[in-house]
Amino acid sequence: MGEQMIGRFALAAVLFFAGSIDLATANEKLRVATEGAYPPFNFQDASGQLAGFDVDIAKALCQQMAVDCTFVAVPWTEIVQGLSDDKYDMIVASMAFTEERAQKMEFSAPYYRSHSVLVGDAEKFQDSAPAALSGVRIAAAQDTIQAEYLQKAYGASKALLAKDQPGAQRLLLDNQADLLIGDAIELLSFLQTTEGARFGYVGDPISSEFLQSSAHITAKKGNSALIQKVNAALRQIKLNGVYDRINDAYFPFSIY
């Protein structure tokens, strides 16, 4: 994560000059939740502060909307319910759209796009098709779209669900799982670690209408006014170059 941490510091100047609005005059306050366990999108740095692509995008949006934002880390399995319980105003945590989630939350326009993949021993496994992986142990983070798809599409495989993505990665690293399913961009960070370097992508990216390839910011059901502001701010940070500078601090390619 060294290069990403350097990139975060480089963003400080960018975000300071990103908008023409002085936050000192902002009246509105927003509470923003993220997971804090999904690097490089959201994680806690060496000092315990929330960091990552999601966090920097949220800060840029807050500045663009002229609101004062506070951040809180919430376990993935609790994050949707906390929004319903008014513990925070919006979630910026790489949330994919599903019909079930849409019953409980309002979704913004996409703020990045990706694909789902399998990773593991790329010499032993070459095919990502369910028929080729009968009896294979596949790990996923629970309450994710990948976990749900794993249980639906890979019925002949053995699904192993961890509480979060680092937990699912640990199952693979400890040889308790043969493969890991997750987001391609997030897993790129894992594959670049010392421990994860021995693994690779297995087969082709998973193609499914169920596995949405876009991430969204969410607000409580009925709070469409906030989502409209978020969408307008998203458009603006794309136009003024702030989005691209944040993107480039974390990834060598565009994820929009």
Side-chain angles (χ1 to χ4, degrees):
M1 301 299 295
E3 293 182 358
Q4 294 163 0
M5 294 296 295
I6 293 172
R8 285 183 54 243
F9 291 117
L11 281 173
V14 172
L15 294 180
F16 183 81
F17 292 108
S20 59
I21 301 169
D22 183 358
L23 283 179
T25 64
N27 296 317
E28 188 177 356
K29 297 182 183 295
L30 285 178
R31 300 162 297 168
V32 182
T34 193
E35 183 186 9
Y38 195 63
F41 293 101
N42 56 78
F43 58 93
Q44 297 189 43
D45 64 19
S47 64
Q49 297 298 307
L50 284 167
F53 177 82
D54 287 336
V55 176
D56 286 338
I57 287 293
K59 289 179 178 178
L61 293 174
C62 289
Q63 181 165 353
Q64 186 62 46
M65 293 187 293
V67 296
D68 183 13
C69 289
T70 57
F71 291 80
V72 59
V74 182
W76 184 255
T77 54
E78 303 171 14
I79 202 165
V80 174
Q81 187 59 50
L83 185 66
S84 298
D85 293 342
D86 287 322
K87 292 182 178 180
Y88 28 85
D89 302 297
M90 68 180 187
I91 298 172
V92 188
S94 297
M95 183 75 69
F97 176 91
T98 68
E99 293 294 342
E100 181 180 0
R101 289 173 180 170
Q103 301 298 315
K104 304 174 183 177
M105 300 181 288
E106 302 288 344
F107 280 76
S108 75
Y111 69 100
Y112 77 82
R113 295 171 172 83
S114 186
H115 300 281
S116 294
V117 294
L118 289 167
V119 301
D121 185 338
E123 293 185 3
K124 182 177 180 180
F125 302 100
Q126 291 87 35
D127 194 340
S128 60
L133 299 174
S134 177
V136 174
R137 302 169 300 171
I138 305 177
Q142 70 183 63
D143 294 334
T144 61
I145 60 171
Q146 289 87 4
E148 188 173 350
Y149 184 77
L150 171 62
Q151 294 173 302
K152 288 182 177 180
Y154 289 81
S157 301
K158 183 177 181 181
L160 303 174
L161 302 184
K163 70 174 184 178
D164 54 26
Q165 191 66 14
Q169 293 169 3
R170 180 48 55 186
L171 290 174
L172 180 65
L173 291 168
D174 292 345
N175 198 34
Q176 296 180 46
D178 303 301
L179 297 173
L180 168 64
I181 186 173
D183 177 83
I185 300 174
E186 188 276 332
L187 288 176
L188 173 62
S189 176
F190 168 68
L191 295 176
Q192 291 174 336
T193 65
T194 301
E195 285 187 300
R198 70 180 188 267
F199 302 110
Y201 294 118
V202 171
D204 296 325
I206 298 170
S207 178
S208 167
E209 292 183 2
F210 175 78
L211 286 178
Q212 297 291 323
S213 60
S214 57
H216 305 258
I217 294 161
T218 61
K220 186 177 180 181
K221 192 68 177 178
N223 195 357
S224 58
L226 175 56
I227 291 300
Q228 289 175 8
K229 293 179 182 178
V230 167
N231 285 339
L234 274 172
R235 289 192 294 270
Q236 194 58 39
I237 66 171
K238 281 294 295 179
L239 290 171
N240 64 21
V242 171
Y243 181 97
D244 290 338
R245 293 185 181 96
I246 296 172
N247 182 115
D248 293 347
Y250 292 92
F251 309 106
F253 47 81
S254 174
I255 66 171
Y256 185 75

